[in-house]
Amino acid sequence: MPLSDRALEDVLIVGAGPAGLACAATLLEASDVHVTVVDAGAGPGGQYWRQPAPTADPHGVRPEALRGLHHDLDTFESLRARLEAGRSAGRATLLTDHHVWTVVADGGTFTVHAVDRTGGPGRDRAVEIRARHLVIATGAHDRSLPFPGWDLPGVMTAGGLQALLKSGDVTAGRRVALGGTGPFLLPVAAGLAARGATVVGVFEANSPRRWLRELGPVAANVAKLGEGIGYAAILLRHRVPVRARTMIVEAHGRDRVEAISVVRLDTAGRPTTEAPRRIEVDAVGVGWGFSPQLDLPVTLGCALDPDAVGTSVVRVDDWQRTSRPGIFAAGEACGVGGAALAVAEGHLTAYGIVHELTGSVPEAAATLRRTMARLHAFASAMHRAHPIPAGWAEALREDTVVCRCEEVTAGTVRRAISDRGAPDARQVKQLTRAGMGWCQGRVCGHAVELLSGAAPAAPPERLVSTPVPLGVLADDWDDFGAM
Ligand SMILES: Cc1cc2nc3c(=O)[nH]c(=O)nc-3n(C[C@H](O)[C@H](O)[C@H](O)COP(=O)(O)OP(=O)(O)OC[C@H]3O[C@@H](n4cnc5c(N)ncnc54)[C@H](O)[C@@H]3O)c2cc1C
């Protein structure tokens, strides 16, 4: 049945990544509800199973050519097939290229406002869907930190480099450097090397010895260890050097990046006095982990909790219910922990909805909770093993741009703190405009928070989760005008 023929959807899932897909697949099999899945991307898969956009061009990129870049594609194909079966049976709708920009809760139902981008550039359309149950499976986004030259063309996030590779078979450069911290740098480096780029180095800010404090979670998750060894073998084969306790402190170039400087860090995470090493590159990817995508749950008033290192995540109970009735959450919005955890949470969310509708307690729920506990323990260990080094900001110069949208420099931010007494990122924002631009602090927010030295604050409320053209807002005006 087409969407417009149904006044009120049973369940609407925002996000067709591992969590959203798993939730949809299980819900279709364990209940008779209708499921609508909405995703901003061109197809299902999310970040982990990102695929090239479908194309009629015979020379276009085919997903089969990029199979080697993926892990656990069998799970993706099975989940997608189960969603497809639901669509064929008229019980599921998948809306891709639809970005949900806000959700309004009204008397036990939810009105989801999305921008339909299927018409191409300049042809955005407003779409409004009402639903009884809402599942937030919006994932996470790359965490960036500024350094001199980070705004040069060719310097990206590690996730950005990987997205180019997985969606378009594009290696962003011929000589690529990766930096930051976390195990995610390894699959990016391995993927680039396997597709022909020369990866000049993976510069990991932390020491692998930090994992020695986490033997319990590692022993309980040997498959993760195996994955890491697999990437290490690929990097060895391609002679990619992996340097621990080393940080990219500058990107050099005139019109685009031409070289980087890297320095060794001491055991306290501060740059040593050793001279920086200069390395020629034409692309750089830097990633400092991920931040959960919380725009929708914050706007809806869902309670948040800190994770093992203080990052805000959506609070859920043992059925993945948020603090707001009718709203469930799954995947990295509830804490960054990898695709396997996101899938398990997606399945449990489906059982949570079935439980809410029928009172039944599916047997599989207990097994899923045990799997999740094990994977959560590993995720917490990973966060502890890969902190942002204490001395990351020492590389910042006065004129290093921190907020790219509003062109606010590190000097301006530092003066707001030292001379004008700003105690936290919120005050810095008010005094300097850092975080007030187009991206609303999604890129610079974490850096400003760290520079302010304040304890992590609750994420700011962003009423609009993606830039929306005025024409789309005008289409929706009747609703908002009435509020
Ligand atoms: C850039 C990036 C690359 C990553 N690559 C890897 C990797 O190679 N290996 C690995 O182990 N982990 C990777 N991760 C971590 C990874 O995200 C997960 O482990 C896994 O994909 C989490 O699944 P999820 O369903 O929670 O979220 P995601 O996979 O992030 O899926 C969330 C989905 O929600 C959609 N969405 C978000 N907000 C909206 C909205 N407002 N409206 C509509 N749709 C929305 C997104 O388009 C996305 O498809 C990556 C993370 C990022 C941010």
Side-chain angles (χ1 to χ4, degrees):
M1 196 188 297
L3 197 65
S4 53
D5 293 350
R6 282 191 309 274
L8 185 60
E9 302 295 315
D10 295 326
V11 179
L12 188 140
I13 302 171
V14 187
L21 280 178
C23 178
T26 294
L27 203 46
L28 286 165
E29 286 161 8
S31 74
D32 58 4
V33 300
H34 187 280
V35 181
T36 301
V37 186
V38 181
D39 197 289
Q47 303 290 359
Y48 190 61
W49 291 314
R50 184 185 283 277
Q51 303 289 312
T55 174
D57 179 352
H59 304 295
V61 182
R62 304 270 157 221
E64 307 81 61
L66 301 178
R67 281 187 79 85
L69 296 176
H70 287 281
H71 262 87
D72 204 12
L73 266 188
D74 290 351
T75 305
F76 171 57
E77 281 159 4
S78 152
L79 295 174
R80 189 173 51 179
R82 288 154 72 185
L83 178 59
E84 275 307 317
R87 287 172 77 183
S88 307
R91 286 192 44 225
T93 306
L94 172 64
L95 298 173
T96 52
D97 281 317
H98 280 63
H99 203 134
V100 175
W101 61 271
T102 200
V103 180
V104 178
D106 33 17
T109 63
F110 301 95
T111 305
V112 174
H113 295 266
V115 192
D116 169 359
R117 295 191 167 130
T118 49
R123 309 180 80 136
D124 291 355
R125 220 170 48 85
V127 171
E128 192 188 302
I129 311 161
R130 286 179 61 233
R132 283 193 188 88
H133 289 93
L134 180 70
V135 178
I136 296 171
T138 46
H141 60 85
D142 273 301
R143 191 178 267 174
S144 312
L145 292 178
F147 56 96
W150 75 308
D151 45 355
L152 279 170
V155 182
M156 292 171 229
T157 60
L161 279 182
Q162 201 201 42
L164 286 173
L165 197 60
K166 284 185 174 176
S167 62
D169 199 11
V170 172
T171 51
R174 291 192 181 159
R175 286 178 60 81
V176 188
L178 285 155
T181 192
F184 174 57
L185 299 176
L186 301 181
V188 183
L192 286 165
R195 300 306 287 172
T198 300
V199 180
V200 298
V202 176
F203 303 104
E204 161 62 61
N206 285 292
S207 162
R209 287 179 189 203
R210 293 185 71 95
W211 280 99
L212 294 177
R213 303 173 201 167
E214 309 291 351
L215 292 180
V218 172
N221 290 277
V222 276
K224 295 270 185 193
L225 194 63
E227 221 177 284
I229 291 170
Y231 290 130
I234 298 174
L235 298 183
L236 202 63
R237 195 170 344 121
H238 290 279
R239 297 174 195 279
V240 175
V242 179
R243 303 276 177 251
R245 282 211 346 244
T246 307
M247 189 169 79
I248 298 175
V249 286
E250 183 161 6
H252 311 271
R254 279 168 64 85
D255 301 322
R256 58 166 296 115
V257 64
E258 292 162 13
I260 52 165
S261 290
V262 298
V263 295
R264 289 271 300 154
L265 301 179
D266 63 19
T267 49
R270 299 194 178 282
T272 58
T273 49
E274 275 175 35
R277 193 154 68 89
R278 192 179 162 109
I279 304 166
E280 311 275 298
V281 297
D282 57 7
V284 184
V286 186
W288 295 100
F290 303 108
S291 295
Q293 186 68 261
L294 298 178
D295 295 344
L296 299 179
V298 168
T299 306
L300 284 160
C302 300
L304 306 179
D305 275 333
D307 73 1
V309 291
T311 303
S312 290
V313 303
V314 180
R315 178 190 299 166
V316 286
D317 68 7
D318 55 4
W319 289 112
Q320 299 295 123
R321 286 180 292 215
T322 70
S323 62
R324 294 294 308 267
I327 308 180
F328 293 71
E332 303 219 311
C334 306
V336 171
L341 179 57
V343 167
E345 290 181 3
H347 290 311
L348 186 62
T349 303
Y351 290 130
I353 295 171
V354 173
H355 174 70
E356 190 151 299
L357 292 173
T358 66
S360 72
V361 179
E363 262 176 46
T367 314
L368 282 169
R369 288 193 193 107
R370 278 195 296 279
T371 305
M372 283 163 48
R374 178 172 55 73
L375 293 168
H376 269 300
F378 187 85
S380 298
M382 178 182 76
H383 296 313
R384 287 189 295 265
H386 292 277
I388 289 172
W392 75 272
E394 289 174 26
L396 294 182
R397 290 200 285 257
E398 289 293 283
D399 64 352
T400 305
V401 171
V402 171
C403 168
R404 295 159 73 149
C405 305
E406 293 288 319
E407 298 184 347
V408 183
T409 62
T412 305
V413 171
R414 282 175 172 149
R415 279 190 294 280
I417 297 159
S418 61
D419 302 354
R420 302 174 73 188
D424 54 26
R426 204 161 152 263
Q427 271 283 313
V428 172
K429 177 176 172 179
Q430 281 162 359
L431 291 172
T432 66
R433 295 192 59 80
M436 276 197 201
W438 183 256
C439 88
Q440 287 289 292
R442 288 179 182 87
V443 178
C444 69
H446 195 66
V448 175
E449 188 168 283
L450 291 176
L451 285 172
S452 79
E461 183 170 0
R462 298 185 181 108
L463 295 175
V464 174
S465 83
T466 181
V468 189
L470 283 175
V472 171
L473 278 179
D475 287 348
D476 260 356
W477 184 248
D478 287 349
D479 282 345
F480 290 99
M483 280 168 61

